[in-house]
Amino acid sequence: MKEGISGKAIYRKDYTAYPWDVNRLDLHFEIGSETTVVRAQMEFQLKDGTKSPQAIVLNGSDLQLVSITLNDRVLSGEEYIIEGETLTIPDAPQNCVLRTEVKIHPASNSALEGLYLSGQFLLTQCEAQGFRKITWFPDRPDVMTTYRVTLEADQSEFPVLLSNGNLVDAGELTGGRHWVRWEDPFPKPTYLFALVAGDLALVEDHFTTRSGRDVVLRIYVEAENLDRCEHAMESLVNAMRWDEERFDLEYDLDIYHIVATNDFNMGAMENKSLNIFNSKYVLARPDTATDADYQGIEGVIGHEYFHNWTGNRVTCQDWFQLTLKEGLTVFRDEEFSADMQSRAVKRIRDVRDLRSRQFPEDDGPMAHPIRPDHYVEINNFYTATVYQKGATIIRMYHTLLGEDGFQKGMKLYFERHDGQAVTCDDFLAAMADANGVNLDRFSLWYSQSGTPQVHVSDHYDAATQRYTLKLKQHTPPTHEQKSKQALVLPFALGLLAANGDELPLQFEAEADAATGTRLLIVEEAEQEFIFINIPEAPVPSLFRDYSAPVKVFFDYSPEQLATLIAHDSDAFVRWDAAQRMAEDAILKQCLAHAQGLEMTLDPSLVRAFKGILSDQQADPALLAEAMTLPDEDYLADQMDVVDVDGIHAARKFIKKGLAVELVSLLTARFAKLNDGQPYQKSATAMARRSLKSICLSYLLETSAGESLAATQLESSDNMTDTLAAIKGLILMDSPLAATALSEFESRWKADALVMDKWFIMQAIKPGRKTVDTVRKLMDHPAFSIQNPNKVRSLIGVFSMLNPTGFHTADGSGYTFHADRVIELDGLNPQIAARMASAFNRWKRYDESRKALMKAELQRIAAVDNLSGDVAEIVNNALR
Ligand SMILES: [Zn+2]
């Protein structure tokens, strides 16, 4: 570790309230791309009961201070202290007005935090701490105030001038300049401030709220994208209606703006009434966006809209509470998508996402509870743990309290805390008080990191017809937390007879048996459940609907798994059983591969997949999920020492084996789904396309696939079918792939979002050669290292989703990637830190790869002036 590279850690226990109220903030911007002048006027008032005098402490970064006055008196250089990112005015009067003027330089801001330039317009990103790059202010979420924002700019260069709240006034100035004024009546923290200035086109719609408020909805995009906003607008209207119906929450202003930009570090940002979106989550047309893109847009539009209550009206006291708004809002967007599409498919995809992104976090150097205790750089804690695991913990409240109880808790939460900055404890208290229950033990989920493991064993006594299930829970130590306690686990259980019938569940003390899923609570390290009147040895259906975010271990026989796959009433368990069976088969062949033995295909797997494929009743999207083999990274997580090449070979062997065995069924199913109907956006049509794509991917393992893919590509009228065909041709090394790629490129070369897909298809190709392809593609005119979407599509996909490419034995993938992290760190530390995390799990590989990755981490750590963002990731990984 080098001195000066690691920033200081900040601890949750050190929180102290800000001593001042800021009653109002007036901002005046003289907008210019090279230089923007920001004048701020703040009214400070010492909080009641605070001892006087107090210092006023403001945050600022990269600001050129022009002047500062206190109660109309210019302060001399001796009357304030600037140190690092703070400006301190000692001994300020109890009531005072502070005015500052600063200059900032948007065009040279490549970090994409604060005010920056994207194409032809200027915009802001303030979460978590970007506001300090705009002006001096207490940049912390517990300082909430009302904003009045005046924007002044050249009319032809910046015809559109937007900020939060309502437009209250506007006018023209001499010299072709104009101004507009926005006022937001709702007090908000700095991270929700936004401004946009530039030449943008718009699409407009209206929504009338339940109580009759007419809300103008506008989506601003660059003019050439006007025909790609329809789905985003429809999603917004659906989200507004859904939140009224399901959560009893209504929109509170007359205007709602969404602005799409190509240059964005994250997915989207919920600034009050002025959401700013990565264009990936706004723009869609059938020929440019896949079904997954459409679903992503619906989810993210919903997510940011739902923040208006869970995040904006009630916000976080400090950044340690990030999951208060994010876990809750992810839960809300998951429920929204579940209600819009297929609940079961949505649940499966969310669990797959949790397992593939969050479980590795728990098992790596950045493990942290959903509410961390300390951080160096808060940007590194926008993690799958805070978001996705946070959402599963909200889901557990919902499971334990039921929909009515959960909604009672939400109601009380808003009654108590509307307009406040609060903590996760306040949320838990509202849920507990509204339902008259004690949730003290449940609160451990907020402070304990790691993925709990639940080992389940059973015993059936035929003579007494008693069935005993024993659960042992254990959470392995994480690097920052060695000892763990037993957690409260909602345990949804069913029992199946061998013929697939659901068996009634009855405890000894009960007079009657109940059929269907039974919700039990596990809260001890070891717990036993005994059921009576069970006529035969049952197949347990465990943690239905994934009722707790745990790893479940039970020694299922292939016959038992087959019973669950074919008959379970719970779609999640059916899918999970198929995954488990495929996982067992692949890992077994991976071992054979390592021992130089011939790989074999288990007939029970073929039978199970045949059953899935023959099911004409089930939702095709569910069948597609069941037929999707576990990905290589997930399989790697199941091994003590990752065998990169063995996993790839075994997974390929199983897929090809299944394809050969089931070729006639696959061909028939594909033909039936490939009915030549024109594109439709409906959930049913999307479900059919998902099964069609998976059938094609299997068929591409056989001699039948290539011509089917070529025909599909030829006749495709939508991006889902097009990509499925080209990806397939690339993966099978077809001579047609090169032509397909070059035709795709010449058609879409001017389209940033579609070109992302072109980069992804090439970065994901397995094997040693891909690192060279990726290096060459960095010189492509459509690539820019300054653009986060491009970095994620080419470099991120290569290092995080292409195991055999990244982990090439000679280490060339590692060296390439470390070079990129170093290059990015000088431009955009947030993105550089995300990329650096590709090395997080280096200790899980063989000695040679370990040594190579460690050397690259050390090389990054040794860079002069490394950002705190990257230093925190790299130093944690090396520790
Ligand atoms: Zn969010």
Side-chain angles (χ1 to χ4, degrees), residues 127 268 270 303-304 307 310 325-326 329-330 387:
E127 187 176 2
E270 70 263 24
H303 179 95
E304 306 310 332
H307 267 314
T310 51
K325 74 178 179 81
E326 293 305 342
T329 306
V330 171
Y387 279 66

